[in-house]
Amino acid sequence: MKAVVFEKGQLLVKDVPTPKLKSGEVLVAIKAAGLNRRDLYTPGRLGNNSEALILGSDAAGVVEAIGEGVTDWKIGDEVIINPSLRWYEQSDFPPEGFEILSLPDNGTFAEKIAISAEQLEKKPSHLTLEEAAVIGISPLTGYRALFTKGQIQAGQTVFIPGAGSGVATFLIQMAKNVGARVIVSSRSEEKRQAALKIGADLAVDTNGDWLKELENETIDLVIESVGRATFNRSLSVLKKGGKIVVFGATTEDVVDFDLRQFFYGQYTLLGTTMGSREEFRACIDHLEKYDTHPILDRSFSMDEAQNALDYLKENRQFGKIVLTIS
């Protein structure tokens, strides 16, 4: 089968052996796979002497074969893959044994994948296979940040710096679904306008004066993923007693902030990564209930995988990027 692999310092599209099913596993013929920033970072973690590893964490496809002991799935079922491995029940932090699909296991940028039946969910009927291919890391991360950690409520205001990311586009839609006010930021006027079109109430320039532009807003929750470049500015516009939930750091990881200002403001700082199967199912239910479709920026063929990763690295997208597999 054909797959996108990182091997000895190179990204390659090559033929690799079709995986053999183990007990409890399902063989899925992948139709489309979603890109995530994780796919940019994994090669650096592997190093230049690594054996071939198939990249990719998100995908949708069709069940092609069933391993011994599997009773919940049948050949022909359309499924999505939950990339949050072995985290089943909602908890404050992942259990021991939790990993994200594609490191150390082979991922989804391939024509087929053998994976535990526990990691599959039925494809929502309102989504195409291409749309369903991005129902993984981004919406799960956003759902846990917004609801489990942020506990957003109707009538509250959430601020999301970095409007163009895949997670941000899910956050905008999910927050609006439950009646929250949504404010976003972006350096790009085009992305600010796109955010408004999918439901954001206000979009400000990342390089603007947030204190002035947001002086009449009461921001209950900030969901941060940019890191050092925006963290302190995000904190400065949060209401006293508000929450800031952090799930990423696309700029620098290390942030200095004023502890005295923080404790006087009675702020709550929460971290989150991915989510449980319980939350993944709740997220899917949410998308179905509100007939929510992911925002797809563009698709690339498997042979264009390097171009797709470059496009993501340059932050040119608004929403999600998809690899069409078959």
Side-chain angles (χ1 to χ4, degrees):
M1 69 173 187
K2 191 160 76 169
V4 179
V5 305
F6 187 78
E7 181 179 15
K8 299 190 184 304
Q10 297 184 75
L11 186 78
L12 305 170
V13 180
K14 60 181 287 188
D15 286 325
V16 299
T18 299
K20 295 182 179 179
L21 280 180
K22 299 176 185 176
S23 177
E25 289 187 339
V26 172
L27 186 68
V28 178
I30 295 174
K31 300 302 181 182
L35 269 69
N36 294 282
R37 300 202 73 82
R38 174 179 173 80
D39 304 313
L40 300 175
Y41 306 145
T42 297
R45 295 173 64 187
L46 290 170
N48 291 331
N49 296 314
S50 64
E51 296 302 314
L53 180 81
I54 300 171
L55 300 180
S57 300
D58 296 344
V62 178
V63 173
E64 187 171 281
I66 296 172
E68 182 181 352
V70 175
T71 59
D72 293 338
W73 301 103
K74 64 181 186 298
I75 292 171
D77 283 345
E78 292 185 331
V79 296
I80 56 178
I81 290 171
N82 175 4
S84 187
L85 302 181
R86 296 175 291 276
W87 185 2
Y88 303 120
E89 306 300 325
Q90 182 177 310
S91 55
D92 289 338
F93 55 90
E96 192 156 341
F98 162 76
E99 289 170 333
I100 302 173
L101 182 62
S102 79
L103 185 69
D105 300 326
N106 281 315
T108 59
F109 294 172
E111 292 177 325
K112 303 177 194 297
I113 187 172
I115 192 165
S116 168
E118 299 283 357
Q119 298 300 139
L120 299 182
E121 300 295 336
K122 182 181 177 182
K123 181 188 78 68
S125 59
H126 75 295
L127 300 182
T128 66
L129 280 164
E130 192 171 81
E131 289 175 324
V134 304
I135 306 302
I137 285 179
S138 290
L140 175 56
T141 298
Y143 185 91
R144 181 172 166 88
L146 188 63
F147 295 110
T148 306
K149 296 286 188 173
Q151 298 182 326
I152 193 70
Q153 301 292 323
Q156 292 185 328
T157 297
V158 58
F159 178 45
I160 307 162
S165 74
V167 180
T169 55
F170 280 107
L171 284 168
I172 293 166
Q173 294 181 93
M174 290 190 291
K176 291 301 296 179
N177 286 343
V178 300
R181 178 171 171 80
V182 177
I183 303 172
V184 301
S185 79
S186 176
R187 290 174 296 178
S188 163
E189 172 64 18
E190 183 179 358
K191 290 183 180 181
R192 293 197 295 272
Q193 291 302 315
L196 294 171
K197 287 180 181 178
I198 66 167
D201 296 283
L202 178 64
V204 299
D205 189 340
T206 299
N207 296 324
D209 184 344
W210 290 359
L211 287 174
K212 182 177 180 180
E213 292 183 69
L214 302 177
E215 63 181 348
N216 295 319
E217 300 287 345
T218 300
I219 296 172
D220 302 277
L221 172 67
V222 175
I223 299 184
E224 253 287 348
S225 64
V226 180
R228 185 184 181 94
T230 59
F231 181 87
N232 277 299
R233 298 175 67 207
S234 293
L235 189 58
S236 72
V237 298
L238 182 63
K239 76 172 188 180
K240 296 292 191 295
K243 296 177 184 175
I244 183 165
V245 177
V246 180
F247 70 83
T250 54
T251 58
E252 295 179 62
D253 293 350
V254 178
V255 174
D256 295 321
F257 65 97
D258 187 329
L259 279 175
R260 190 169 300 277
Q261 177 194 8
F262 188 85
F263 65 70
Y264 275 148
Q266 305 277 326
Y267 301 112
T268 299
L269 174 61
L270 298 161
T272 188
T273 299
M274 295 294 287
S276 64
R277 182 174 65 182
E278 184 178 345
E279 288 160 311
F280 191 55
R281 289 174 175 174
C283 175
I284 293 170
D285 288 345
H286 176 101
L287 299 178
E288 290 184 304
K289 177 181 178 180
Y290 293 100
D291 192 27
T292 301
H293 292 255
I295 306 303
L296 302 184
D297 183 280
R298 61 174 294 186
S299 299
F300 294 82
S301 70
M302 196 187 300
D303 290 329
E304 298 174 306
Q306 185 63 67
N307 292 337
L309 289 167
D310 289 344
Y311 187 80
L312 177 61
K313 185 177 182 179
E314 293 162 6
N315 292 315
R316 294 166 63 189
Q317 84 287 354
F318 182 84
K320 296 296 294 183
I321 301 167
V322 176
L323 281 186
T324 53
I325 305 296
S326 61

